[in-house]
Amino acid sequence: MRIVSAAEIAGLLTHSDLVDALGEAFRAEITVPLRHHHRIPQADGSPEAMLLLMPAWTASGSQQFVGTKIVSVYPGNGAKNLPAIYGSYILSSGETGAPLAVMDGTELTVWRTACASALASRSLSRKDATRHVMVGAGALAPHLIRAHAAVRPIRHVTIWNRSRERAAELAEGLQGTLPGITITVGTDLQAAVGEADIVSCATISTNPVVSGDWLKPGAHLDLVGGYTPAMRETDDAAIRRASLFVDTRTGGLHEAGDIVDPIRRGLITEADVKADLFDLARGTHAGRTSDSEITLFKSVGTALEDLAAAMLVWRSLKS
């Protein structure tokens, strides 16, 4: 059994290859049971911890796989100078159940999350999109920038973060690594969004950060950060103006605050969500219909994406 580190994963994957692999996975027969949540009380008085199990397995193909992402969430770890979240991915043979590899689940997650957004962008953003605004400067931000640049002719990236220092650090780290792309730190978010062809948000905000009134005709809004019904990265104006898409209806209609909250208040209905990544990847929905259409993609993640990424890592190791 192989142990695959974060550095190995980063050395094996490319964003364009993973976008292609995710497209294949959303077209394939892959079983994705409901995610398992297990609460873990803490005897020392720390906040309650959580164990998440995210299984998936292939149902066809020349080689079968079973995979499970195991994520532990310990909110009290900050007081111990430790990360709050740890993740591992176990990939096994679908024919025998024999374990093949244990992979760094955190690294796998940032790669697959960013590339799912890029897969959506292939159908939803304008093909001539050149200006990208990145809202947030955390671990996902550099991957989202690179993933969108892998599928669209991005020439200018503006990074905005509540902490300007964090945005500047990310911009400095990316300088010279993306040939032909100018990277700047934004100070006026409204102005930057107003010029953007693609706007990505990867925050943990519970209140809207980007207003739909700022979006120009033809813009694509990519919402990645909010992963609970209590979180919002954009406002009702965006929900009203945009054509709405999600990664999966199961997740988007139950976990994504930017979709769940407007439905709960009667602003929209479930029928207003036009398609998910299954529909877009399989061609049952065309995606963008005009150059002036504003599109919005909301993702919360799915075990299918983890399995697709792990399979690509495994095949790259074996080639």
Side-chain angles (χ1 to χ4, degrees), residues 93-128:
S93 165
E95 288 91 5
T96 67
L100 302 174
V102 176
M103 303 181 186
D104 186 288
T106 303
E107 185 73 9
L108 207 67
T109 298
V110 293
W111 275 86
R112 63 81 153 157
T113 302
C115 289
S117 282
L119 177 63
S121 186
R122 276 184 172 174
S123 298
L124 301 178
S125 67
R126 286 176 53 132
K127 289 182 171 58
D128 60 355

Coordinates of all heavy atoms in Angstrom, one line a residue, residues 93-128:
S93 N -9.1 -1.3 -4.0 CA -9.5 -2.0 -5.2 C -11.0 -2.3 -5.1 O -11.5 -2.7 -4.1 CB -8.8 -3.3 -5.4 OG -9.4 -4.2 -6.3
G94 N -11.7 -2.0 -6.2 CA -13.2 -2.3 -6.3 C -13.4 -3.7 -6.5 O -14.6 -4.2 -6.3
E95 N -12.4 -4.5 -7.0 CA -12.6 -5.9 -7.2 C -12.4 -6.8 -6.0 O -13.1 -7.7 -5.8 CB -11.6 -6.4 -8.3 CG -12.0 -5.9 -9.7 CD -11.3 -4.6 -10.1 OE1 -10.5 -4.1 -9.3 OE2 -11.6 -4.1 -11.2
T96 N -11.4 -6.4 -5.1 CA -11.1 -7.2 -4.0 C -11.2 -6.5 -2.6 O -11.2 -7.1 -1.6 CB -9.6 -7.7 -4.1 OG1 -8.7 -6.5 -4.0 CG2 -9.4 -8.4 -5.4
G97 N -11.3 -5.1 -2.7 CA -11.4 -4.4 -1.4 C -10.0 -4.1 -0.8 O -9.9 -3.5 0.2
A98 N -8.9 -4.6 -1.5 CA -7.6 -4.5 -0.9 C -7.2 -3.0 -1.0 O -7.4 -2.3 -2.0 CB -6.6 -5.3 -1.8
P99 N -6.6 -2.5 0.1 CA -6.2 -1.1 0.1 C -5.0 -0.8 -0.9 O -4.1 -1.6 -0.9 CB -5.8 -0.8 1.6 CG -5.4 -2.2 2.1 CD -6.4 -3.1 1.4
L100 N -5.1 0.2 -1.6 CA -4.1 0.6 -2.6 C -3.2 1.7 -2.1 O -2.0 1.7 -2.3 CB -4.7 1.0 -3.9 CG -5.6 -0.1 -4.6 CD1 -6.3 0.5 -5.8 CD2 -4.8 -1.3 -5.0
A101 N -3.9 2.7 -1.5 CA -3.1 3.9 -1.1 C -3.9 4.7 -0.1 O -5.1 4.7 0.0 CB -2.8 4.8 -2.3
V102 N -3.1 5.4 0.8 CA -3.6 6.4 1.7 C -3.0 7.7 1.2 O -1.8 7.9 1.2 CB -3.3 6.1 3.1 CG1 -3.8 7.2 4.0 CG2 -3.8 4.8 3.6
M103 N -3.9 8.7 0.9 CA -3.4 9.9 0.4 C -3.8 11.1 1.3 O -4.7 11.0 2.1 CB -4.1 10.2 -1.0 CG -3.9 9.1 -2.0 SD -4.7 9.4 -3.6 CE -4.4 7.9 -4.5
D104 N -3.0 12.2 1.2 CA -3.3 13.4 2.0 C -4.6 13.9 1.6 O -4.7 14.4 0.4 CB -2.1 14.4 1.8 CG -2.3 15.6 2.7 OD1 -3.2 16.4 2.4 OD2 -1.5 15.7 3.7
G105 N -5.6 13.9 2.5 CA -6.9 14.3 2.1 C -7.1 15.8 2.0 O -7.9 16.2 1.2
T106 N -6.3 16.5 2.7 CA -6.4 18.0 2.6 C -6.0 18.5 1.3 O -6.6 19.3 0.6 CB -5.6 18.6 3.8 OG1 -6.0 18.1 5.0 CG2 -5.8 20.2 3.7
E107 N -4.8 18.0 0.8 CA -4.3 18.4 -0.5 C -5.3 18.0 -1.6 O -5.6 18.7 -2.6 CB -2.9 17.8 -0.7 CG -2.2 18.3 -2.0 CD -1.7 19.7 -1.9 OE1 -1.8 20.3 -0.8 OE2 -1.3 20.2 -3.0
L108 N -5.7 16.7 -1.5 CA -6.7 16.2 -2.5 C -7.9 17.1 -2.6 O -8.4 17.4 -3.7 CB -7.1 14.8 -2.2 CG -7.5 13.9 -3.3 CD1 -6.3 13.6 -4.2 CD2 -8.0 12.6 -2.8
T109 N -8.4 17.6 -1.4 CA -9.6 18.4 -1.4 C -9.5 19.7 -2.1 O -10.4 20.2 -2.8 CB -10.1 18.6 0.1 OG1 -10.3 17.3 0.6 CG2 -11.3 19.4 0.1
V110 N -8.4 20.4 -1.8 CA -8.2 21.8 -2.5 C -8.1 21.6 -4.0 O -8.6 22.4 -4.7 CB -7.0 22.6 -1.9 CG1 -7.3 22.9 -0.4 CG2 -5.7 21.8 -2.0
W111 N -7.4 20.6 -4.4 CA -7.3 20.3 -5.9 C -8.7 20.1 -6.5 O -9.0 20.7 -7.5 CB -6.3 19.2 -6.2 CG -4.9 19.6 -6.2 CD1 -4.1 19.7 -5.2 CD2 -4.2 19.9 -7.4 NE1 -2.8 20.1 -5.6 CE2 -2.8 20.2 -6.9 CE3 -4.4 20.0 -8.7 CZ2 -1.8 20.6 -7.8 CZ3 -3.4 20.4 -9.6 CH2 -2.1 20.7 -9.2
R112 N -9.4 19.1 -5.9 CA -10.7 18.7 -6.6 C -11.7 19.8 -6.5 O -12.5 20.0 -7.4 CB -11.2 17.4 -6.0 CG -11.6 17.3 -4.5 CD -12.9 17.9 -4.2 NE -13.5 17.3 -3.1 CZ -14.5 17.9 -2.3 NH1 -14.9 19.1 -2.6 NH2 -15.0 17.2 -1.3
T113 N -11.7 20.6 -5.4 CA -12.7 21.7 -5.2 C -12.4 22.8 -6.3 O -13.4 23.3 -6.9 CB -12.6 22.3 -3.8 OG1 -12.8 21.3 -2.9 CG2 -13.6 23.4 -3.7
A114 N -11.2 23.2 -6.5 CA -10.9 24.2 -7.5 C -11.2 23.7 -8.9 O -11.7 24.5 -9.7 CB -9.4 24.6 -7.4
C115 N -10.9 22.5 -9.2 CA -11.1 22.0 -10.5 C -12.6 21.7 -10.8 O -13.0 21.8 -12.0 CB -10.2 20.7 -10.7 SG -8.5 21.1 -10.8
A116 N -13.4 21.5 -9.8 CA -14.8 21.4 -10.0 C -15.3 22.8 -10.4 O -16.2 22.9 -11.3 CB -15.5 20.9 -8.7
S117 N -14.8 23.8 -9.8 CA -15.2 25.2 -10.3 C -14.8 25.4 -11.7 O -15.5 26.1 -12.5 CB -14.6 26.2 -9.4 OG -15.3 26.3 -8.1
A118 N -13.6 25.0 -12.1 CA -13.1 25.2 -13.4 C -14.0 24.3 -14.4 O -14.2 24.8 -15.6 CB -11.7 24.8 -13.5
L119 N -14.4 23.1 -14.0 CA -15.2 22.3 -14.9 C -16.5 23.1 -15.1 O -17.0 23.1 -16.3 CB -15.5 21.0 -14.2 CG -16.5 20.1 -14.9 CD1 -15.9 19.7 -16.3 CD2 -16.8 18.8 -14.1
A120 N -17.1 23.7 -14.1 CA -18.3 24.5 -14.3 C -18.1 25.7 -15.2 O -18.9 26.0 -16.0 CB -18.9 24.9 -12.9
S121 N -16.9 26.3 -15.0 CA -16.6 27.5 -15.8 C -16.5 27.2 -17.3 O -16.8 28.0 -18.1 CB -15.2 28.0 -15.3 OG -14.9 29.3 -15.9
R122 N -16.1 26.0 -17.6 CA -16.1 25.6 -19.0 C -17.4 25.8 -19.7 O -17.5 26.1 -20.9 CB -15.6 24.1 -19.2 CG -14.1 23.9 -19.2 CD -13.9 22.4 -19.4 NE -12.4 22.2 -19.6 CZ -11.9 21.0 -19.7 NH1 -12.7 19.9 -19.6 NH2 -10.6 20.8 -19.8
S123 N -18.5 25.5 -19.0 CA -19.8 25.7 -19.5 C -20.5 27.0 -19.2 O -21.4 27.4 -19.9 CB -20.7 24.6 -19.0 OG -20.3 23.3 -19.3
L124 N -20.0 27.7 -18.1 CA -20.8 28.8 -17.6 C -20.1 30.2 -17.8 O -20.8 31.2 -17.9 CB -21.1 28.6 -16.1 CG -21.9 27.3 -15.8 CD1 -22.0 27.2 -14.3 CD2 -23.2 27.3 -16.5
S125 N -18.8 30.2 -17.9 CA -18.1 31.5 -18.1 C -18.0 31.8 -19.6 O -18.0 30.8 -20.4 CB -16.8 31.6 -17.4 OG -15.9 30.7 -18.0
R126 N -17.8 33.0 -19.9 CA -17.6 33.4 -21.4 C -16.2 32.8 -21.8 O -15.3 32.8 -21.1 CB -17.6 34.9 -21.5 CG -18.9 35.5 -21.5 CD -18.8 37.0 -21.6 NE -18.1 37.5 -22.8 CZ -18.5 38.4 -23.6 NH1 -19.7 39.0 -23.5 NH2 -17.8 38.7 -24.7
K127 N -16.2 32.3 -23.0 CA -15.0 31.7 -23.6 C -13.8 32.7 -23.7 O -12.7 32.3 -23.7 CB -15.3 31.0 -24.9 CG -16.1 29.8 -24.8 CD -16.3 29.1 -26.2 CE -17.0 27.8 -26.1 NZ -18.3 27.8 -25.4
D128 N -14.2 34.0 -23.8 CA -13.2 35.0 -23.9 C -12.9 35.7 -22.6 O -12.3 36.8 -22.5 CB -13.6 36.1 -24.9 CG -14.9 36.8 -24.6 OD1 -15.5 36.4 -23.6 OD2 -15.2 37.7 -25.3

